[in-house]
Amino acid sequence: MITGGLYEIDTHIPSWSEIEANNSALQLGGKYRPHDCTARNRVAIIVPYRDREMHMKLFLQNIHPFLQRQQLDYAIFLVELAPDKMFNRAMLMNIGFVEAIKLYDFQCFIFHDVDLLPEDDRNLYTCPPMPRHMSAAIDKHKYRLLYTQIFGGVTAMTKEQFLKTNGYSNHYFGWGGEDDDMFRRILYSKMTVTRYPMTIARYKMLDHVKDKENPKRFRLLKESKERWQRDGLNSLKYQRLKLEFRKLYTWVFVDFSEKDVLIPENVTTPAQFVPNGDSNLMNDDQAVTKEAVYVGNNIKNAETTPVWTRQPYVENSATSILSTSMTKSQNEVTTVNNKLPAQPSYNHLR
């Protein structure tokens, strides 16, 4: 039930069949597009994932109705790392971005932790002229912003903004640091960070066990300015083990290792990332399973993929007015202080 923007989150843990039955309007791959209007925003939801099935069920149960109420043209990408490898949230988000732009003309990318659920319908999952930190007010933190330079949890960037920052750093294995690194990349790219008012940017955090901390995160942050143009999308290498278009989401199952990712200190800056083809995939003799090969938005072996990945984007005759129907006070964002912290603190984070 929606009451003044706030709505009640469904915390009942459903079965997979129950979630699918409640989302009959979805196309394969967790793709939705309004049938009676042209959505103003084409949005890819990128979710880095490992071993949190209960969280994923609750996330999908709540996020699909939330996004559909906003009349978005969207798809959800679940990017999962192979087991027995050190988790790298930032690299999984880079991979999600690369895989998503091969499939559809997405304009906006929401990078979303699976344990965060939005609480207010006025929190529009769209991309503003500057990158947006969406999850500013989390219940576990008493709906207070932890520190000004935070850019983690749930964030929104346009395709152009993400390319401008060279994506996330690939060097953050383990927990912590990659979100503060991205905040700095945004500033290095001559952009700033925006937020909705704290009364709108509200999220519920699901209980979870904290991942192993990255002991190198402070050193990596200190070196971020020297490294950001050669560490990111243009240095991304991974193995795509599986790509499946499931009812509720597109599953991207990948593998990579720390030794293949880390860049030597004296390496020259790689060429700028070009969003086309499979240049980031390791060659066939390195890959465990060979999957479909992409060239732009065209897919070989296309009969195994849903229609939305193969057709050019065509607008419907009507246009959604949802994103323009908000009052000025609701649509205002808060500009974040551009100053970098002398030393970030992680003691107050989950």
Side-chain angles (χ1 to χ4, degrees):
M1 181 178 66
I2 302 174
T3 307
L6 293 173
Y7 69 95
E8 185 176 353
I9 290 177
D10 187 354
T11 56
H12 158 68
I13 301 176
S15 65
W16 287 113
S17 59
E18 183 180 349
I19 307 174
E20 291 181 1
N22 291 334
N23 289 278
S24 58
L26 290 176
Q27 301 177 52
L28 285 179
K31 177 70 166 60
Y32 177 84
R33 181 180 179 185
H35 297 294
D36 55 353
C37 66
T38 295
R40 288 183 177 270
N41 299 274
R42 301 189 292 277
V43 184
I45 312 295
I46 309 297
V47 183
Y49 177 81
R50 172 187 272 175
D51 194 26
R52 291 192 184 181
E53 183 176 357
M54 183 188 72
H55 288 174
M56 178 53 63
K57 287 180 176 180
L58 289 172
F59 175 76
L60 293 170
Q61 174 175 250
N62 286 277
I63 201 68
H64 277 301
F66 173 83
L67 297 172
Q68 290 169 27
R69 288 195 297 270
Q70 297 186 12
Q71 297 178 303
L72 300 174
D73 180 352
Y74 74 89
I76 293 178
F77 291 82
L78 179 68
V79 190
E80 182 174 2
L81 177 61
D84 302 322
K85 294 294 179 66
M86 181 70 75
F87 195 71
N88 187 324
R89 174 179 177 269
M91 194 167 171
L92 291 177
M93 292 189 289
N94 281 345
I95 293 171
F97 173 85
V98 170
E99 293 293 330
I101 60 177
K102 297 172 186 175
L103 298 174
Y104 194 66
D105 184 23
F106 292 108
Q107 307 163 307
C108 176
F109 294 81
I110 309 292
F111 301 96
H112 210 303
D113 283 354
V114 72
D115 57 12
L116 289 175
L117 304 178
E119 296 182 347
D120 197 307
D121 278 308
R122 297 171 296 174
N123 187 356
L124 296 184
Y125 272 44
T126 58
C127 286
M130 288 291 173
R132 176 184 290 152
H133 178 220
M134 309 283 285
S135 54
I138 297 175
D139 62 344
K140 184 177 179 180
H141 305 144
K142 300 181 180 179
Y143 296 106
R144 294 181 298 183
L145 187 66
L146 289 178
Y147 55 98
T148 306
Q149 293 82 12
I150 191 171
F151 195 73
V154 185
T155 57
M157 300 179 75
T158 66
K159 178 180 177 180
E160 292 73 22
Q161 290 165 0
F162 199 67
L163 290 172
K164 193 173 182 180
T165 64
N166 195 23
Y168 283 90
S169 167
N170 297 317
H171 283 221
Y172 289 86
F173 285 83
W175 178 87
E178 77 286 338
D179 46 0
D180 290 322
D181 189 291
M182 174 54 80
F183 182 92
R184 293 168 181 240
R185 287 173 180 240
I186 291 169
L187 300 190
Y188 300 152
S189 303
K190 309 300 182 184
M191 297 185 288
T192 188
V193 171
T194 60
R195 295 188 177 102
Y196 278 126
M198 302 295 281
T199 53
I200 293 177
R202 294 167 57 96
Y203 284 78
K204 176 179 178 60
M205 178 179 285
L206 303 175
D207 292 334
H208 63 279
V209 177
K210 182 178 174 180
D211 293 326
K212 182 179 179 181
E213 292 182 348
N214 178 3
K216 302 177 183 178
R217 62 192 186 278
F218 296 112
R219 177 180 62 81
L220 289 171
L221 280 172
K222 186 177 180 180
E223 300 168 350
S224 63
K225 190 169 186 178
E226 290 72 33
R227 196 186 64 253
W228 74 280
Q229 291 180 309
R230 59 188 175 90
D231 164 29
L233 291 173
N234 62 352
S235 64
L236 181 65
K237 295 292 181 183
Y238 62 98
Q239 299 170 9
R240 187 183 60 219
L241 307 182
K242 290 287 184 180
L243 177 65
E244 294 183 6
F245 299 94
R246 299 181 176 180
K247 176 64 176 178
L248 298 169
Y249 56 87
T250 296
W251 182 48
V252 186
F253 187 47
V254 301
D255 193 13
F256 50 75
S257 64
E258 191 168 355
K259 66 180 180 64
D260 294 326
V261 170
L262 299 185
I263 302 174
E265 294 297 327
N266 60 350
V267 74
T268 57
T269 301
Q272 183 178 4
F273 171 77
V274 178
N276 183 43
D278 268 343
S279 59
N280 301 90
L281 288 175
M282 294 182 176
N283 57 39
D284 292 341
D285 59 355
Q286 293 174 297
V288 176
T289 304
K290 185 176 180 181
E291 290 294 319
V293 178
Y294 298 85
V295 182
N297 283 338
N298 298 317
I299 306 178
K300 299 178 182 179
N301 304 326
E303 66 276 8
T304 63
T305 63
V307 172
W308 62 267
T309 66
R310 307 196 300 272
Q311 293 183 340
Y313 180 79
V314 179
E315 292 189 352
N316 295 328
S317 57
T319 301
S320 169
I321 61 172
L322 178 65
S323 61
T324 59
S325 63
M326 300 176 65
T327 65
K328 181 178 179 181
S329 61
Q330 291 172 333
N331 203 28
E332 287 177 349
V333 294
T334 304
T335 301
V336 175
N337 187 345
N338 284 346
K339 294 182 179 179
L340 290 173
Q343 179 68 30
S345 172
Y346 292 88
N347 296 331
H348 48 277
L349 296 181
R350 62 186 188 277

